[in-house]
Amino acid sequence: MTVPEIAVIGGIDTHRDVHQAAVIDSVGRHLDTQSFATNAAGYEQLLAWLHSQGEVIAVGMEGTGAYGAELARFLTTNGITVVEVDRPDRRARRAHGKSDPIDAYAAATAVLSGRASGTPKSRDGIVEAIRALRLVRKSAVKARTQTINQIRALVVTAPSALRDKLRGLPTSPLIDTLARTRPTGDLADPSCAAKTALRRLARRYQTLQQEIKEADADLAPLVSRAAPSLVALSGVGTETAGQLLITAGDNPDRLRSEASFAHLCAAAPVPASSGRTNRHRINRGGDRHANSALYTIVLVRMRHDERTRNYMARRTAEGMSTKDIMRCLKRFVAREIYRHLVSTNTLNTTGSARAGS
């Protein structure tokens, strides 16, 4: 007579070099704890170890978007349900202590109790490609801003003859002028050193500008391919559409409703009532980058969309503040965008490619 397998739940605390795993049974009893290397062999060993413990119901994992990204993909490919687990709050850590085995056990119990139920991003399609390219573009934009700030700071402190020549020039003429200069003289002279530094900074700015243009040329067709109906919406451009796609992930079906997407984008109103006051406030949680994308879309629509301008006028006449009106508009935009994210036209290219591979 064969003994039936017990149902088990796994928990994994992810790290750069070693993943710590724990297993509990269906009533929360701790069964075993092991550590595994973060390579292909280690993933195979972890999977075999999980199956040796019993019938695996699910695995809770911290860091599915960082150290655990590849392991999450591997387990999902092998039929294991992966649940995204948030880091325990400070109060819980003070009560139970902090170690890798404790964190792995806490991840498993979070799944068992129902506190953790999120589906991680699959990170295996065109949206993951967009995320990687946007990461490079974003860092280039940040470096370009730092460079122009350094140029303007140097111009302010430069000797009078140089400062008077450059002061008041817009960014583009300023960069072109500085990049064409040919400083000569002794670098020990502050004027010569300032000219040399400004020339090098201007050329760095031009290099970064070219890098951003190349990134835009790569991203535009990818974003249009991933979500053509999303890019066609009023006020939505390549940058905002790319960020919202990244927020939703390659598997937007993990978002159960448009309300969950709004909460993810920090665009869902939060009750802030007390006593005789009945109001809502802006949600300050969620993905701030997605919230910024919604804000940009709303700004564009406020200037160029007739429907949005009419809404602004009506709500202003009712006594609503601009901040509250924009909160309502961001909520509306989140609802509209969600429908396009989960529509049949969105991300079908990637899904078809995976199905045919």
Side-chain angles (χ1 to χ4, degrees):
M1 180 177 178
T2 61
V3 179
E5 284 189 326
I6 63 172
V8 299
I9 296 174
I12 301 175
D13 184 32
T14 59
H15 297 277
R16 187 186 66 179
D17 300 318
V18 175
H19 293 328
Q20 186 73 43
V23 171
I24 61 175
D25 63 14
S26 57
V27 294
R29 290 175 297 193
H30 181 235
L31 300 179
D32 196 8
T33 301
Q34 292 286 342
S35 59
F36 300 91
T38 57
N39 53 36
Y43 300 154
E44 293 285 355
Q45 293 168 6
L46 190 153
L47 180 63
W49 175 76
L50 285 173
H51 284 306
S52 70
Q53 302 296 320
E55 181 185 355
V56 183
I57 300 174
V59 171
M61 186 185 303
E62 286 188 38
T64 59
Y67 291 134
E70 179 60 24
L71 178 58
R73 283 191 289 262
F74 174 81
L75 293 178
T76 301
T77 301
N78 285 276
I80 302 294
T81 300
V82 178
V83 179
E84 190 168 11
V85 176
D86 292 332
R87 186 179 65 177
D89 59 30
R90 293 182 178 180
R91 183 177 180 181
R93 289 200 167 187
R94 283 196 298 267
H96 300 99
K98 168 74 176 75
S99 71
D100 293 345
I102 290 175
D103 287 347
Y105 175 74
T109 56
V111 176
L112 177 63
S113 66
R115 287 186 291 108
S117 58
T119 303
K121 296 178 182 178
S122 60
R123 298 180 182 273
D124 59 355
I126 192 171
V127 174
E128 180 64 11
I130 292 171
R131 187 190 70 83
L133 292 173
R134 283 193 78 254
L135 182 67
V136 177
R137 185 191 185 279
K138 185 177 180 180
S139 64
V141 170
K142 183 177 181 180
R144 183 184 63 179
T145 302
Q146 292 174 334
T147 301
I148 190 60
N149 288 342
Q150 290 171 337
I151 288 173
R152 296 201 180 279
L154 270 177
V155 169
V156 168
T157 60
S160 178
L162 179 61
R163 185 176 68 249
D164 294 342
K165 186 186 302 183
L166 300 175
R167 183 161 39 190
L169 285 178
T171 299
S172 184
L174 176 63
I175 295 299
D176 291 341
T177 300
L178 293 175
R180 289 196 303 267
T181 58
R182 297 292 185 272
T184 57
D186 186 3
L187 285 177
D189 177 18
S191 178
C192 179
K195 291 177 182 178
T196 302
L198 287 169
R199 176 173 179 263
R200 290 174 180 172
L201 285 172
R203 293 196 167 188
R204 179 189 300 174
Y205 185 97
Q206 290 177 333
T207 300
L208 291 168
Q209 185 79 345
Q210 181 61 33
E211 185 177 332
I212 293 169
K213 289 181 179 179
E214 292 174 356
D216 288 337
D218 292 336
L219 282 166
L222 283 179
V223 173
S224 297
R225 176 181 168 188
S229 63
L230 181 60
V231 178
L233 291 176
S234 172
V236 180
T238 300
E239 268 300 290
T240 51
Q243 177 57 59
L244 293 169
L245 284 169
I246 292 168
T247 299
D250 281 299
N251 48 335
D253 52 297
R254 71 194 182 92
L255 304 170
R256 297 180 179 87
S257 66
E258 54 89 13
S260 65
F261 178 68
H263 274 286
L264 182 60
C265 296
V270 178
S273 302
S274 177
R276 297 181 180 179
T277 303
N278 185 13
R279 62 180 293 271
H280 290 76
R281 67 166 174 82
I282 296 174
N283 183 358
R284 297 179 178 86
D287 187 337
R288 304 311 301 173
H289 297 297
N291 190 270
S292 177
L294 294 180
Y295 179 79
T296 301
I297 295 170
V298 168
L299 283 182
V300 173
R301 291 188 176 187
M302 287 169 62
R303 296 175 184 174
H304 304 289
D305 184 62
E306 185 68 23
R307 180 181 54 170
T308 304
R309 290 201 298 267
N310 292 339
Y311 179 84
M312 282 284 297
R314 176 168 62 85
R315 298 296 266 176
T316 301
E318 294 173 357
M320 185 176 284
S321 67
T322 301
K323 180 184 291 186
D324 285 339
I325 294 172
M326 293 189 73
R327 173 181 59 78
C328 294
L329 287 171
K330 285 196 289 186
R331 181 66 179 87
F332 171 80
V333 172
R335 182 182 299 114
E336 184 181 29
I337 285 173
Y338 174 79
R339 291 197 296 265
H340 289 271
L341 286 174
V342 298
S343 67
T344 54
N345 292 329
T346 305
L347 303 178
N348 269 354
T349 303
T350 303
S352 300
R354 286 201 298 265
S357 60

